[in-house]
Every structure is written in C-alpha cells, then in structure tokens.
C-alpha cells in the first residue's frame, strides 16, 4: 500500500512538473496621466508611458530569473496665466529613457491557472531630458539607477498564453543629470529618493507567451 501511494505521489509530481512552463517572453505596458488641480495662476499635467519586452526562466517551481528592457517617456507640462486668466507662458519637460532591468521572482501556485509572486528588480537607465519654453530649449543627459519590490500575479489564459500584472509598491532610485555648460565643461547633479507606489504609473501589465 505504501509503495502504491509513493508511486501515485511521484506520478502527480511528474504531472505538475510537466505542466510548469520553462519560461516566458512578454511585452509589458504601463501608462498614467495626471492633471493637477489648478490654483488660478497655472495648470499642470503629467503623463508617463513605459513599454518593453521581458524574458524569464523558471528555476524549478518557485523561482524565476529574467531580464527586461523598458522604454520610458515622461512628459510634464505647465501653463502659467496672468491675473486676467489668459495664458502667458508655457513650459514642457520630456524625459526619454531606456532602462535595462534584471529581476528575480519568488512564485507560488494558488490554483491550476494562477500564480502569485514577489519580484525584486534592479534597473539601469540612460537617456535625455528636453525642456522647452517660450524663450529657450535645453537638452541634458540623464542616468538612473533603481531597485524596486513589487507583488504581482500571473494568470494562464491558454496553453501558451498568460496575462500578468504587478505593482511596484516600494523603490529606491538615483538620478544623475549632466548639463553641458557654455565653456564645454559639464555639471552633474544627483537626486536620490525612496518611492512608495500609489499611482497608476507603478502598475505594469504584461502579455506573456509561455514556452
């Protein structure tokens, strides 16, 4: 009887292992748009778009390692008004950033088709910041370094397709902006900060192909 139970357990374990995908290739998407409450003297709006490919590999049934590349576009616009309510000045700042992002996931099955996971990722980005106004335009280089912690879920739709979503609830980032001066010297400013994710830009959706 004991041998029979062991054989059944081994068979079920083999079936579960066979059902586990080896990995996935996905396209991720994130977008948010915010219009700040006007105070009579200015209107301010901001939007963030992130899109890119990602590949992951299952190491057993509980661990995933992978790598992603994200294109990030962040636009912020401010319109200033005079005392009569007419627009007199407008500024716009556009950030174009390419980020490379290795990640690790600890996953757990919660059903036949659903996985939940905790993800730890680190990012390295580089790009430009373009600032335009009524009187001047300026371009500077930007480099970013960040790490984030995100819970998420993975739901299988068909044999080779799944959707996923994750929320970057906690992160740490460093931004280095390099400005080229008139005498061809360069000035670099660094900004560091801890971020807690409460906006839609911290929510990322993915369409995954399983292999």
């Amino acid at each position: 009887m004991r041998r029979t139970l062991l054989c059944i357990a081994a068979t079920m374990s083999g079936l579960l292992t066979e059902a586990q995908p080896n990995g996935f290739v996905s396209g991720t998407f994130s977008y948010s748009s915010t219009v700040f409450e006007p105070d009579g003297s200015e209107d301010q709006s901001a939007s963030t778009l992130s899109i890119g490919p990602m590949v992951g590999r299952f190491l057993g049934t509980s661990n995933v390692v992978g790598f992603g590349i994200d294109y990030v576009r962040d636009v912020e616009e401010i319109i200033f008004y005079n005392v009569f309510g007419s627009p007199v000045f407008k500024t716009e700042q556009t950030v174009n950033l390419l980020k490379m992002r290795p990640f690790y996931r600890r996953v757990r099955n919660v059903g036949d088709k659903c996985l939940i996971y905790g993800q730890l990722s680190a990012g390295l980005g580089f790009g430009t910041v373009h600032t335009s106004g009524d009187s001047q335009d300026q371009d500077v280089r930007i480099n970013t370094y960040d790490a984030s912690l995100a819970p998420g879920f993975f739901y299988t739709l068909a044999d080779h397709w799944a959707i996923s979503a994750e929320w970057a609830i906690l992160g740490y980032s460093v931004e280095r902006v390099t400005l080229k001066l008139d005498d061809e010297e360069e000035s670099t400013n660094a900004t560091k900060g801890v971020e807690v994710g409460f906006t839609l830009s911290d929510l990322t959706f993915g369409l995954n192909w399983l292999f």
Side-chain angles (χ1 to χ4, degrees):
M1 181 66 178
R2 186 175 180 181
R3 289 185 179 179
T4 303
L5 291 177
L6 288 175
C7 289
I8 293 175
T11 303
M12 291 300 296
S13 177
L15 289 175
L16 291 174
T17 303
E18 184 178 357
Q20 178 77 42
N22 294 320
F24 59 89
V25 177
S26 66
T28 60
F29 175 82
S30 174
Y31 178 78
S32 69
S33 179
T34 305
V35 177
F36 297 92
E37 193 71 27
D39 60 1
S41 62
E42 65 180 50
D43 286 341
Q44 185 176 359
S45 62
S47 64
T48 302
L49 169 69
S50 176
I51 189 170
M54 176 186 291
V55 61
R57 178 77 176 182
F58 282 88
L59 303 178
T61 59
S62 302
N63 301 284
V64 177
V65 294
F67 187 82
I69 299 176
D70 298 327
Y71 167 70
V72 181
R73 181 178 176 86
D74 194 355
V75 180
E76 183 175 341
E77 181 182 88
I78 304 177
I79 302 176
F80 297 91
Y81 297 88
N82 59 21
V83 294
F84 303 104
S86 300
V88 294
F89 186 71
K90 173 184 174 181
T91 64
E92 184 176 281
Q93 184 180 79
T94 303
V95 180
N96 289 294
L97 197 65
L98 190 66
K99 297 180 66 174
M100 296 175 288
R101 183 163 58 97
F103 65 89
Y104 165 77
R105 290 177 181 175
R106 180 71 175 180
V107 303
R108 181 176 181 179
N109 285 291
V110 293
D112 294 336
K113 296 185 177 182
C114 187
L115 297 172
I116 59 174
Y117 61 83
Q119 175 176 287
L120 179 63
S121 65
L124 171 64
F126 53 91
T128 60
V129 180
H130 177 74
T131 303
S132 62
D134 289 349
S135 59
Q136 65 176 2
D137 289 357
Q138 186 181 57
D139 289 289
V140 298
R141 296 198 312 270
I142 182 173
N143 296 310
T144 65
Y145 315 91
D146 64 80
S148 65
L149 179 65
F153 76 89
F154 201 90
Y155 185 80
T156 303
L157 299 174
D159 290 342
H160 292 287
W161 294 100
I163 57 173
S164 60
E166 63 190 53
W167 196 299
I169 58 173
L170 185 63
Y172 175 78
S173 64
V174 178
E175 292 186 358
R176 296 183 182 274
V177 177
T178 302
L179 175 63
K180 194 169 185 177
L181 305 177
D182 294 336
D183 56 2
E184 296 187 356
E185 294 183 357
E186 292 184 344
S187 174
T188 301
N189 296 319
T191 304
K192 304 177 182 180
V194 176
E195 301 175 357
V196 180
F198 289 115
T199 66
L200 288 178
S201 62
D202 301 300
L203 182 62
T204 301
F205 298 95
L207 179 62
N208 308 266
W209 181 74
L210 311 177
F211 62 86

